Amino acid sequence: MTHDHDLVLRPTAAQTEAALNPPGGRTGGDLVVESLAALGATTVFGLPGQHALGVFDALRRSDLRYVGLRVENNAGFAADAYGRITGEAAPLLLSTGPGALTSLAALQEARAASAPVLAICGQVPTAGLGGGRHGHLHELPDQAASFRGVVKSVHTVRTQSQIPSAIAEAWTSALTVPHGPVWVEIPQDVLLAETAIPVVTGGDTFPEELPPRPELTAVAADLLSRAERPAIIAGGGVVRADASKKLRQLAERLQAPVVTTFGGKGAFPWTHPLSLQSWLEDRHTTDFLEDADVLLVVGSGLGELSSNYHTFKPRGRVIQIEADLGKLESNHPALGIHADARLALQALLETVGERTDPAAPERVSGVLDKVRARIAAQELTLEQDVLAAVRKALPPRAPSFWDMTVLAYWAWSAFDAKAPNTMHSAQGAGGLGYGLPAALGAAVADPTHPVLAVSGDGGALYSVAELATARQYGLNVTWLIVDDGGYGILRAYMNDAFGTPTPTATDLPGPDFVALAESFGVPGVRTSPETLETDLAKALAAPGPSVVVLPAVLRMFAPTHRG
């Protein structure tokens, strides 16, 4: 009897000849780029550095497309977005010490958002490994230790023969659900030394699937079929698993209202009669979900933002489908199903009974009416008009990337993403500077749509250097900068918490962003709330990068989690 794992692919005569007589002049760096190409990579992001030059030299001899950014953290954000858009592992090439450590915040965001990033970093020469203090430039006692608490897996290479397998193993880890960033480090001398190892041609990897346990989905299907008031919370795991259609089928079969988390924007149609949209920071939504007798949570850990700052206290039975084992039942007792969202939803569709509930759409519209009335009472017309202008100007299929800024906080709750995998933000880890570099990565991944980046002036200064990258590669990214003269959301938090009229460290004198953009050779325009839709639509329609600056002080709607 022959088993799949007994099958061995026999090399062709040409492959044998190439293996016996590999071309000269190759180094360990060539093994890196050959391994990436064999795995299917076409594009890499990064910045060069002393200990990684062997890889960058090898890029000249490969067909991989290199996109270089100006700051390592921004390169990480670009790779993150590339991974989110394509579903492929995005290679990120870095150097040691300061360069490596600068990428940590981006890798934390990729981990929180389950974005597949394959970070490959140089290391000091092999003799310097092991914690000794040899005085190498960029030396850390244990560089890998800085990343173990951030990435999914760490792979340290010590010889050239380990390179193809280490990279393939890391690639598999990045693409095994839940997706995430991984870390490979290779010493400088291993990358620079010539190699007689044959050209890497085999690279097929097979990330393991994560199907649900059938006895658990049987119980879940029974609970949902017999529920009187079922409801669904759909998180980012639905988007990552490309399971939006299955979610809609299940919701319609159950007549179960659906709310999407901020990471799950677009997982369910915004205007569907069963859509509670994304008003998770609203007590009316929280009350509705608490009243569900069976609550299905798919692809969410019900963290701080998804639980209205942990004020959500479900009274009914909770079913939680989650690919990240650490998130399973981490906040609420549940029937925990450790599985990929797509496979679990398919299993439920095959077993769940059909419910009829003509009143469900009416209950949904009643909640949304209460939410609108609450917002309307706060006289926030400017904020709603600005967000509406952005939605009207942005083509339906165009992706958008939002920094941590007041307008993004509004968008989490009130913006119609129109389609799955089109609205992304840094709400996973919550770091500044995400918007522009992430949008650049998305534009590299799919040049067929314009891409929108949204930042405040504070966050914009984290990543303004990447205007040079946008110009260098001619990427179709429009950057909307809402300039309120500081860290607007932190100013609001401090005012609210401490009542200070001039909050410490949150008021910032900034540059003329239009003039600054033009100094990079990027067209810029200063707009107003009244002209925003027109100016933004014009910028998005023009090829290449552009900047639209909106001077405005926006306010947040009042929170409901404080009672």
Side-chain angles (χ1 to χ4, degrees):
M1 186 179 200
T2 301
H3 299 278
D4 288 345
H5 58 265
D6 294 327
L7 298 177
V8 177
L9 295 178
R10 301 187 182 281
T12 65
Q15 288 173 325
T16 300
E17 176 63 24
L20 293 173
N21 299 285
R26 292 164 61 249
T27 67
D30 288 276
L31 294 174
V32 172
V33 298
E34 290 165 7
S35 298
L36 291 174
L39 289 164
T42 59
T43 303
V44 299
F45 299 87
L47 272 82
Q50 174 179 317
H51 296 114
L53 290 180
V55 177
F56 286 84
D57 174 64
L59 282 173
R60 298 185 298 111
R61 298 184 288 276
S62 81
D63 293 327
L64 295 177
R65 179 188 184 188
Y66 170 66
V67 179
L69 285 91
R70 274 33 179 196
V71 183
E72 287 85 356
N73 201 50
N74 295 336
F77 284 143
D80 166 303
Y82 186 95
R84 296 192 199 196
I85 293 296
T86 64
E88 302 168 3
L92 171 64
L93 305 182
L94 301 168
S95 193
T96 38
L101 296 176
T102 301
S103 72
L104 273 169
L107 295 176
Q108 183 189 5
E109 175 58 40
R111 182 67 183 276
S114 297
V117 176
L118 173 55
I120 300 175
C121 181
Q123 226 330 353
V124 298
T126 308
L129 299 180
R133 302 299 288 162
H134 301 277
H136 292 291
L137 186 69
H138 306 328
E139 182 181 38
L140 288 165
D142 186 354
Q143 179 176 271
S146 300
F147 294 84
R148 285 195 181 96
V150 176
V151 299
K152 283 186 67 180
S153 59
V154 171
H155 311 259
T156 298
V157 170
R158 293 178 180 270
T159 66
Q160 290 183 342
S161 62
Q162 296 175 2
I163 289 175
S165 293
I167 291 177
E169 185 179 77
W171 182 279
T172 301
S173 176
L175 290 174
T176 297
V177 294
H179 293 175
V182 295
W183 183 259
V184 180
E185 57 179 29
I186 309 172
Q188 179 187 31
D189 53 325
V190 175
L191 291 173
L192 292 176
E194 287 197 26
T195 186
I197 293 175
V199 173
V200 182
T201 56
D204 287 342
T205 64
F206 303 97
E208 293 183 11
E209 290 190 331
L210 187 59
R213 295 172 61 93
E215 69 273 18
L216 297 180
T217 54
V219 174
D222 180 66
L223 289 170
L224 290 166
S225 299
R226 293 188 294 105
E228 294 182 4
R229 298 179 309 282
I232 299 174
I233 298 177
V238 176
V239 177
R240 297 282 85 77
D242 192 21
S244 300
K245 290 182 179 179
K246 293 186 183 300
L247 172 68
R248 179 173 180 171
Q249 289 177 320
L250 183 65
E252 290 176 345
R253 185 174 299 179
L254 293 171
Q255 284 298 290
V258 179
V259 62
T260 58
T261 71
F262 305 151
K265 298 285 288 187
F268 195 74
W270 189 256
T271 57
H272 192 285
L274 294 171
S275 176
L276 286 163
Q277 303 178 355
S278 299
W279 289 98
L280 284 165
E281 290 189 52
D282 189 284
R283 192 65 221 177
H284 298 303
T285 302
T286 305
D287 290 342
F288 184 91
L289 295 173
E290 287 182 345
D291 187 54
D293 61 336
V294 179
L295 179 67
L296 175 63
V297 183
V298 190
S300 172
L302 290 182
E304 183 176 54
L305 298 181
S306 301
S307 62
N308 203 356
Y309 296 89
H310 295 299
T311 62
F312 170 59
K313 306 295 181 186
R315 295 190 293 273
R317 190 74 182 270
V318 177
I319 302 165
Q320 185 185 13
I321 297 169
E322 176 55 56
D324 188 335
L325 189 60
K327 293 180 180 178
L328 206 61
E329 294 192 79
S330 61
N331 286 304
H332 299 282
L335 174 64
I337 302 176
H338 183 216
D340 175 76
R342 194 171 197 277
L343 298 177
L345 288 172
Q346 179 60 42
L348 289 177
L349 283 170
E350 292 172 359
T351 52
V352 77
E354 189 165 353
R355 290 183 69 257
T356 57
D357 187 356
E362 184 179 346
R363 295 202 310 273
V364 167
S365 62
V367 173
L368 294 178
D369 285 345
K370 292 177 183 178
V371 172
R372 295 187 193 101
R374 188 179 78 83
I375 299 298
Q378 297 174 46
E379 299 181 354
L380 296 165
T381 303
L382 170 63
E383 290 75 9
Q384 295 179 82
D385 288 349
V386 166
L387 195 63
V390 174
R391 180 62 277 173
K392 291 175 184 176
L394 185 67
R397 300 295 304 182
S400 58
F401 291 82
W402 302 69
D403 213 332
M404 299 296 286
T405 186
V406 174
L407 190 58
Y409 284 36
W410 268 93
W412 291 347
S413 293
F415 192 76
D416 178 3
K418 296 292 184 187
N421 207 28
T422 56
M423 180 182 171
H424 302 273
S425 71
Q427 60 89 30
L432 278 171
Y434 175 81
L436 177 62
L440 298 180
V444 171
D446 182 4
T448 63
H449 298 286
V451 184
L452 175 66
V454 180
S455 298
D457 52 307
L461 289 176
Y462 273 65
S463 50
V464 71
E466 303 310 336
L467 283 175
T469 303
R471 182 72 178 87
Q472 177 183 353
Y473 296 99
L475 298 173
N476 292 324
V477 172
T478 293
W479 193 13
L480 172 62
I481 301 173
V482 182
D483 187 353
D484 63 3
Y487 298 128
I489 193 67
L490 295 176
R491 179 195 295 141
Y493 287 167
M494 290 191 73
N495 275 336
D496 188 44
F498 308 111
T500 52
T502 54
T504 306
T506 59
D507 290 332
L508 304 173
D512 180 336
F513 282 104
V514 171
L516 185 57
E518 291 173 345
S519 74
F520 283 95
V522 174
V525 61
R526 185 171 287 99
T527 190
S528 67
E530 294 75 23
T531 60
L532 174 60
E533 180 185 343
T534 300
D535 289 337
L536 192 58
K538 182 178 178 181
L540 286 162
S546 57
V547 171
V548 177
V549 180
L550 173 65
V553 177
L554 305 180
R555 296 184 297 137
M556 276 304 298
F557 50 82
T560 65
H561 61 275
R562 295 173 187 166

PDB file of all heavy atoms in Angstrom, residues 428-463:
ATOM      1  N   GLY A 428      -5.537  46.489  15.967  1.00  0.00           N
ATOM      2  CA  GLY A 428      -5.084  45.274  16.618  1.00  0.00           C
ATOM      3  C   GLY A 428      -4.122  45.549  17.756  1.00  0.00           C
ATOM      4  O   GLY A 428      -4.321  45.117  18.890  1.00  0.00           O
ATOM      5  N   ALA A 429      -3.053  46.294  17.443  1.00  0.00           N
ATOM      6  CA  ALA A 429      -2.062  46.646  18.464  1.00  0.00           C
ATOM      7  C   ALA A 429      -2.179  48.107  18.881  1.00  0.00           C
ATOM      8  O   ALA A 429      -1.781  48.471  19.982  1.00  0.00           O
ATOM      9  CB  ALA A 429      -0.647  46.370  17.955  1.00  0.00           C
ATOM     10  N   GLY A 430      -2.707  48.951  17.986  1.00  0.00           N
ATOM     11  CA  GLY A 430      -2.983  50.335  18.356  1.00  0.00           C
ATOM     12  C   GLY A 430      -1.810  51.283  18.237  1.00  0.00           C
ATOM     13  O   GLY A 430      -1.798  52.321  18.887  1.00  0.00           O
ATOM     14  N   GLY A 431      -0.828  50.973  17.393  1.00  0.00           N
ATOM     15  CA  GLY A 431       0.320  51.859  17.239  1.00  0.00           C
ATOM     16  C   GLY A 431       0.094  52.920  16.179  1.00  0.00           C
ATOM     17  O   GLY A 431      -0.686  52.743  15.246  1.00  0.00           O
ATOM     18  N   LEU A 432       0.807  54.047  16.323  1.00  0.00           N
ATOM     19  CA  LEU A 432       0.704  55.138  15.357  1.00  0.00           C
ATOM     20  C   LEU A 432       1.579  54.871  14.128  1.00  0.00           C
ATOM     21  O   LEU A 432       2.556  54.119  14.184  1.00  0.00           O
ATOM     22  CB  LEU A 432       1.118  56.459  15.999  1.00  0.00           C
ATOM     23  CG  LEU A 432       0.064  57.179  16.843  1.00  0.00           C
ATOM     24  CD1 LEU A 432       0.696  58.350  17.588  1.00  0.00           C
ATOM     25  CD2 LEU A 432      -1.080  57.670  15.970  1.00  0.00           C
ATOM     26  N   GLY A 433       1.219  55.536  13.029  1.00  0.00           N
ATOM     27  CA  GLY A 433       2.033  55.511  11.825  1.00  0.00           C
ATOM     28  C   GLY A 433       1.654  54.456  10.812  1.00  0.00           C
ATOM     29  O   GLY A 433       2.348  54.285   9.811  1.00  0.00           O
ATOM     30  N   TYR A 434       0.551  53.755  11.006  1.00  0.00           N
ATOM     31  CA  TYR A 434       0.193  52.616  10.164  1.00  0.00           C
ATOM     32  C   TYR A 434      -0.332  53.015   8.785  1.00  0.00           C
ATOM     33  O   TYR A 434      -0.048  52.345   7.786  1.00  0.00           O
ATOM     34  CB  TYR A 434      -0.860  51.781  10.895  1.00  0.00           C
ATOM     35  CG  TYR A 434      -1.435  50.622  10.114  1.00  0.00           C
ATOM     36  CD1 TYR A 434      -0.751  49.420  10.024  1.00  0.00           C
ATOM     37  CD2 TYR A 434      -2.671  50.719   9.479  1.00  0.00           C
ATOM     38  CE1 TYR A 434      -1.279  48.344   9.323  1.00  0.00           C
ATOM     39  CE2 TYR A 434      -3.202  49.656   8.777  1.00  0.00           C
ATOM     40  CZ  TYR A 434      -2.504  48.469   8.699  1.00  0.00           C
ATOM     41  OH  TYR A 434      -3.039  47.410   7.999  1.00  0.00           O
ATOM     42  N   GLY A 435      -1.106  54.092   8.700  1.00  0.00           N
ATOM     43  CA  GLY A 435      -1.924  54.366   7.523  1.00  0.00           C
ATOM     44  C   GLY A 435      -1.176  54.399   6.205  1.00  0.00           C
ATOM     45  O   GLY A 435      -1.474  53.627   5.287  1.00  0.00           O
ATOM     46  N   LEU A 436      -0.202  55.311   6.064  1.00  0.00           N
ATOM     47  CA  LEU A 436       0.471  55.473   4.774  1.00  0.00           C
ATOM     48  C   LEU A 436       1.295  54.254   4.377  1.00  0.00           C
ATOM     49  O   LEU A 436       1.129  53.741   3.267  1.00  0.00           O
ATOM     50  CB  LEU A 436       1.336  56.730   4.781  1.00  0.00           C
ATOM     51  CG  LEU A 436       2.144  56.937   3.485  1.00  0.00           C
ATOM     52  CD1 LEU A 436       1.226  57.095   2.285  1.00  0.00           C
ATOM     53  CD2 LEU A 436       3.082  58.124   3.610  1.00  0.00           C
ATOM     54  N   PRO A 437       2.211  53.763   5.210  1.00  0.00           N
ATOM     55  CA  PRO A 437       3.010  52.617   4.741  1.00  0.00           C
ATOM     56  C   PRO A 437       2.168  51.379   4.452  1.00  0.00           C
ATOM     57  O   PRO A 437       2.479  50.631   3.522  1.00  0.00           O
ATOM     58  CB  PRO A 437       4.000  52.378   5.889  1.00  0.00           C
ATOM     59  CG  PRO A 437       3.437  53.073   7.067  1.00  0.00           C
ATOM     60  CD  PRO A 437       2.659  54.219   6.544  1.00  0.00           C
ATOM     61  N   ALA A 438       1.108  51.154   5.224  1.00  0.00           N
ATOM     62  CA  ALA A 438       0.233  50.023   4.922  1.00  0.00           C
ATOM     63  C   ALA A 438      -0.438  50.214   3.570  1.00  0.00           C
ATOM     64  O   ALA A 438      -0.541  49.268   2.773  1.00  0.00           O
ATOM     65  CB  ALA A 438      -0.807  49.860   6.021  1.00  0.00           C
ATOM     66  N   ALA A 439      -0.887  51.416   3.284  1.00  0.00           N
ATOM     67  CA  ALA A 439      -1.511  51.691   1.989  1.00  0.00           C
ATOM     68  C   ALA A 439      -0.525  51.454   0.848  1.00  0.00           C
ATOM     69  O   ALA A 439      -0.904  50.965  -0.227  1.00  0.00           O
ATOM     70  CB  ALA A 439      -2.034  53.120   1.949  1.00  0.00           C
ATOM     71  N   LEU A 440       0.741  51.770   1.063  1.00  0.00           N
ATOM     72  CA  LEU A 440       1.754  51.526   0.033  1.00  0.00           C
ATOM     73  C   LEU A 440       1.885  50.031  -0.234  1.00  0.00           C
ATOM     74  O   LEU A 440       1.982  49.599  -1.381  1.00  0.00           O
ATOM     75  CB  LEU A 440       3.101  52.107   0.465  1.00  0.00           C
ATOM     76  CG  LEU A 440       3.159  53.622   0.686  1.00  0.00           C
ATOM     77  CD1 LEU A 440       4.555  54.048   1.111  1.00  0.00           C
ATOM     78  CD2 LEU A 440       2.729  54.385  -0.563  1.00  0.00           C
ATOM     79  N   GLY A 441       1.889  49.225   0.833  1.00  0.00           N
ATOM     80  CA  GLY A 441       1.959  47.778   0.654  1.00  0.00           C
ATOM     81  C   GLY A 441       0.766  47.244  -0.113  1.00  0.00           C
ATOM     82  O   GLY A 441       0.902  46.348  -0.957  1.00  0.00           O
ATOM     83  N   ALA A 442      -0.415  47.792   0.160  1.00  0.00           N
ATOM     84  CA  ALA A 442      -1.615  47.363  -0.557  1.00  0.00           C
ATOM     85  C   ALA A 442      -1.555  47.753  -2.025  1.00  0.00           C
ATOM     86  O   ALA A 442      -2.000  47.003  -2.900  1.00  0.00           O
ATOM     87  CB  ALA A 442      -2.854  47.971   0.098  1.00  0.00           C
ATOM     88  N   ALA A 443      -1.007  48.938  -2.307  1.00  0.00           N
ATOM     89  CA  ALA A 443      -0.890  49.386  -3.697  1.00  0.00           C
ATOM     90  C   ALA A 443       0.086  48.512  -4.478  1.00  0.00           C
ATOM     91  O   ALA A 443      -0.095  48.284  -5.676  1.00  0.00           O
ATOM     92  CB  ALA A 443      -0.441  50.844  -3.735  1.00  0.00           C
ATOM     93  N   VAL A 444       1.115  48.016  -3.806  1.00  0.00           N
ATOM     94  CA  VAL A 444       2.041  47.079  -4.443  1.00  0.00           C
ATOM     95  C   VAL A 444       1.327  45.759  -4.719  1.00  0.00           C
ATOM     96  O   VAL A 444       1.476  45.152  -5.781  1.00  0.00           O
ATOM     97  CB  VAL A 444       3.281  46.848  -3.559  1.00  0.00           C
ATOM     98  CG1 VAL A 444       4.143  45.718  -4.113  1.00  0.00           C
ATOM     99  CG2 VAL A 444       4.109  48.124  -3.455  1.00  0.00           C
ATOM    100  N   ALA A 445       0.519  45.312  -3.765  1.00  0.00           N
ATOM    101  CA  ALA A 445      -0.181  44.036  -3.896  1.00  0.00           C
ATOM    102  C   ALA A 445      -1.210  44.061  -5.011  1.00  0.00           C
ATOM    103  O   ALA A 445      -1.383  43.068  -5.734  1.00  0.00           O
ATOM    104  CB  ALA A 445      -0.856  43.678  -2.576  1.00  0.00           C
ATOM    105  N   ASP A 446      -1.918  45.164  -5.168  1.00  0.00           N
ATOM    106  CA  ASP A 446      -2.986  45.248  -6.169  1.00  0.00           C
ATOM    107  C   ASP A 446      -3.033  46.654  -6.751  1.00  0.00           C
ATOM    108  O   ASP A 446      -3.672  47.551  -6.186  1.00  0.00           O
ATOM    109  CB  ASP A 446      -4.330  44.895  -5.541  1.00  0.00           C
ATOM    110  CG  ASP A 446      -5.478  44.922  -6.553  1.00  0.00           C
ATOM    111  OD1 ASP A 446      -5.203  45.135  -7.759  1.00  0.00           O
ATOM    112  OD2 ASP A 446      -6.639  44.723  -6.152  1.00  0.00           O
ATOM    113  N   PRO A 447      -2.346  46.881  -7.866  1.00  0.00           N
ATOM    114  CA  PRO A 447      -2.323  48.224  -8.469  1.00  0.00           C
ATOM    115  C   PRO A 447      -3.577  48.564  -9.262  1.00  0.00           C
ATOM    116  O   PRO A 447      -3.643  49.640  -9.864  1.00  0.00           O
ATOM    117  CB  PRO A 447      -1.095  48.164  -9.382  1.00  0.00           C
ATOM    118  CG  PRO A 447      -0.979  46.722  -9.752  1.00  0.00           C
ATOM    119  CD  PRO A 447      -1.485  45.930  -8.577  1.00  0.00           C
ATOM    120  N   THR A 448      -4.580  47.681  -9.282  1.00  0.00           N
ATOM    121  CA  THR A 448      -5.766  47.928 -10.100  1.00  0.00           C
ATOM    122  C   THR A 448      -6.761  48.863  -9.439  1.00  0.00           C
ATOM    123  O   THR A 448      -7.713  49.310 -10.087  1.00  0.00           O
ATOM    124  CB  THR A 448      -6.479  46.605 -10.444  1.00  0.00           C
ATOM    125  OG1 THR A 448      -6.946  45.991  -9.226  1.00  0.00           O
ATOM    126  CG2 THR A 448      -5.525  45.655 -11.152  1.00  0.00           C
ATOM    127  N   HIS A 449      -6.598  49.135  -8.147  1.00  0.00           N
ATOM    128  CA  HIS A 449      -7.488  50.043  -7.435  1.00  0.00           C
ATOM    129  C   HIS A 449      -6.660  51.152  -6.784  1.00  0.00           C
ATOM    130  O   HIS A 449      -5.547  50.900  -6.315  1.00  0.00           O
ATOM    131  CB  HIS A 449      -8.260  49.319  -6.316  1.00  0.00           C
ATOM    132  CG  HIS A 449      -9.162  48.234  -6.801  1.00  0.00           C
ATOM    133  ND1 HIS A 449     -10.344  48.481  -7.441  1.00  0.00           N
ATOM    134  CD2 HIS A 449      -9.049  46.885  -6.738  1.00  0.00           C
ATOM    135  CE1 HIS A 449     -10.939  47.336  -7.744  1.00  0.00           C
ATOM    136  NE2 HIS A 449     -10.163  46.355  -7.335  1.00  0.00           N
ATOM    137  N   PRO A 450      -7.208  52.372  -6.715  1.00  0.00           N
ATOM    138  CA  PRO A 450      -6.541  53.380  -5.877  1.00  0.00           C
ATOM    139  C   PRO A 450      -6.663  52.962  -4.418  1.00  0.00           C
ATOM    140  O   PRO A 450      -7.576  52.232  -4.041  1.00  0.00           O
ATOM    141  CB  PRO A 450      -7.330  54.655  -6.168  1.00  0.00           C
ATOM    142  CG  PRO A 450      -8.693  54.175  -6.577  1.00  0.00           C
ATOM    143  CD  PRO A 450      -8.462  52.887  -7.305  1.00  0.00           C
ATOM    144  N   VAL A 451      -5.736  53.420  -3.603  1.00  0.00           N
ATOM    145  CA  VAL A 451      -5.724  53.070  -2.186  1.00  0.00           C
ATOM    146  C   VAL A 451      -5.764  54.358  -1.369  1.00  0.00           C
ATOM    147  O   VAL A 451      -5.068  55.322  -1.689  1.00  0.00           O
ATOM    148  CB  VAL A 451      -4.475  52.253  -1.815  1.00  0.00           C
ATOM    149  CG1 VAL A 451      -4.546  51.811  -0.347  1.00  0.00           C
ATOM    150  CG2 VAL A 451      -4.337  51.041  -2.723  1.00  0.00           C
ATOM    151  N   LEU A 452      -6.570  54.351  -0.309  1.00  0.00           N
ATOM    152  CA  LEU A 452      -6.681  55.511   0.567  1.00  0.00           C
ATOM    153  C   LEU A 452      -5.973  55.239   1.888  1.00  0.00           C
ATOM    154  O   LEU A 452      -6.156  54.181   2.492  1.00  0.00           O
ATOM    155  CB  LEU A 452      -8.151  55.827   0.843  1.00  0.00           C
ATOM    156  CG  LEU A 452      -8.425  56.952   1.859  1.00  0.00           C
ATOM    157  CD1 LEU A 452      -7.952  58.301   1.319  1.00  0.00           C
ATOM    158  CD2 LEU A 452      -9.898  57.004   2.235  1.00  0.00           C
ATOM    159  N   ALA A 453      -5.164  56.192   2.318  1.00  0.00           N
ATOM    160  CA  ALA A 453      -4.593  56.182   3.665  1.00  0.00           C
ATOM    161  C   ALA A 453      -5.179  57.351   4.434  1.00  0.00           C
ATOM    162  O   ALA A 453      -5.336  58.448   3.875  1.00  0.00           O
ATOM    163  CB  ALA A 453      -3.075  56.287   3.611  1.00  0.00           C
ATOM    164  N   VAL A 454      -5.502  57.135   5.701  1.00  0.00           N
ATOM    165  CA  VAL A 454      -6.065  58.197   6.543  1.00  0.00           C
ATOM    166  C   VAL A 454      -5.230  58.303   7.811  1.00  0.00           C
ATOM    167  O   VAL A 454      -5.033  57.309   8.513  1.00  0.00           O
ATOM    168  CB  VAL A 454      -7.539  57.903   6.910  1.00  0.00           C
ATOM    169  CG1 VAL A 454      -8.103  59.036   7.780  1.00  0.00           C
ATOM    170  CG2 VAL A 454      -8.389  57.718   5.657  1.00  0.00           C
ATOM    171  N   SER A 455      -4.747  59.511   8.103  1.00  0.00           N
ATOM    172  CA  SER A 455      -3.941  59.744   9.311  1.00  0.00           C
ATOM    173  C   SER A 455      -4.326  61.075   9.932  1.00  0.00           C
ATOM    174  O   SER A 455      -4.874  61.948   9.255  1.00  0.00           O
ATOM    175  CB  SER A 455      -2.442  59.785   8.978  1.00  0.00           C
ATOM    176  OG  SER A 455      -1.974  58.577   8.453  1.00  0.00           O
ATOM    177  N   GLY A 456      -4.015  61.205  11.215  1.00  0.00           N
ATOM    178  CA  GLY A 456      -4.002  62.519  11.821  1.00  0.00           C
ATOM    179  C   GLY A 456      -2.627  63.134  11.632  1.00  0.00           C
ATOM    180  O   GLY A 456      -1.694  62.479  11.154  1.00  0.00           O
ATOM    181  N   ASP A 457      -2.474  64.387  12.011  1.00  0.00           N
ATOM    182  CA  ASP A 457      -1.181  65.031  11.814  1.00  0.00           C
ATOM    183  C   ASP A 457      -0.116  64.425  12.725  1.00  0.00           C
ATOM    184  O   ASP A 457       1.057  64.326  12.346  1.00  0.00           O
ATOM    185  CB  ASP A 457      -1.270  66.542  12.037  1.00  0.00           C
ATOM    186  CG  ASP A 457      -1.907  66.907  13.374  1.00  0.00           C
ATOM    187  OD1 ASP A 457      -3.013  66.430  13.658  1.00  0.00           O
ATOM    188  OD2 ASP A 457      -1.296  67.672  14.140  1.00  0.00           O
ATOM    189  N   GLY A 458      -0.511  63.980  13.918  1.00  0.00           N
ATOM    190  CA  GLY A 458       0.453  63.345  14.803  1.00  0.00           C
ATOM    191  C   GLY A 458       0.969  62.043  14.220  1.00  0.00           C
ATOM    192  O   GLY A 458       2.173  61.794  14.154  1.00  0.00           O
ATOM    193  N   GLY A 459       0.067  61.181  13.781  1.00  0.00           N
ATOM    194  CA  GLY A 459       0.463  59.913  13.177  1.00  0.00           C
ATOM    195  C   GLY A 459       1.175  60.095  11.858  1.00  0.00           C
ATOM    196  O   GLY A 459       2.050  59.304  11.503  1.00  0.00           O
ATOM    197  N   ALA A 460       0.819  61.149  11.116  1.00  0.00           N
ATOM    198  CA  ALA A 460       1.452  61.381   9.820  1.00  0.00           C
ATOM    199  C   ALA A 460       2.951  61.598   9.954  1.00  0.00           C
ATOM    200  O   ALA A 460       3.738  61.175   9.097  1.00  0.00           O
ATOM    201  CB  ALA A 460       0.802  62.581   9.125  1.00  0.00           C
ATOM    202  N   LEU A 461       3.359  62.255  11.036  1.00  0.00           N
ATOM    203  CA  LEU A 461       4.780  62.526  11.209  1.00  0.00           C
ATOM    204  C   LEU A 461       5.567  61.253  11.533  1.00  0.00           C
ATOM    205  O   LEU A 461       6.799  61.261  11.428  1.00  0.00           O
ATOM    206  CB  LEU A 461       4.985  63.579  12.299  1.00  0.00           C
ATOM    207  CG  LEU A 461       4.534  64.991  11.891  1.00  0.00           C
ATOM    208  CD1 LEU A 461       4.669  65.961  13.062  1.00  0.00           C
ATOM    209  CD2 LEU A 461       5.337  65.487  10.696  1.00  0.00           C
ATOM    210  N   TYR A 462       4.902  60.192  11.922  1.00  0.00           N
ATOM    211  CA  TYR A 462       5.577  58.907  12.105  1.00  0.00           C
ATOM    212  C   TYR A 462       6.040  58.322  10.776  1.00  0.00           C
ATOM    213  O   TYR A 462       7.004  57.563  10.726  1.00  0.00           O
ATOM    214  CB  TYR A 462       4.635  57.902  12.766  1.00  0.00           C
ATOM    215  CG  TYR A 462       4.607  57.910  14.269  1.00  0.00           C
ATOM    216  CD1 TYR A 462       4.146  59.016  14.975  1.00  0.00           C
ATOM    217  CD2 TYR A 462       5.011  56.796  14.997  1.00  0.00           C
ATOM    218  CE1 TYR A 462       4.093  59.015  16.357  1.00  0.00           C
ATOM    219  CE2 TYR A 462       4.960  56.785  16.381  1.00  0.00           C
ATOM    220  CZ  TYR A 462       4.500  57.900  17.053  1.00  0.00           C
ATOM    221  OH  TYR A 462       4.448  57.896  18.433  1.00  0.00           O
ATOM    222  N   SER A 463       5.320  58.621   9.707  1.00  0.00           N
ATOM    223  CA  SER A 463       5.561  57.909   8.447  1.00  0.00           C
ATOM    224  C   SER A 463       5.715  58.827   7.243  1.00  0.00           C
ATOM    225  O   SER A 463       5.693  58.365   6.108  1.00  0.00           O
ATOM    226  CB  SER A 463       4.416  56.919   8.190  1.00  0.00           C
ATOM    227  OG  SER A 463       3.152  57.541   8.332  1.00  0.00           O
TER     228      SER A 463
END
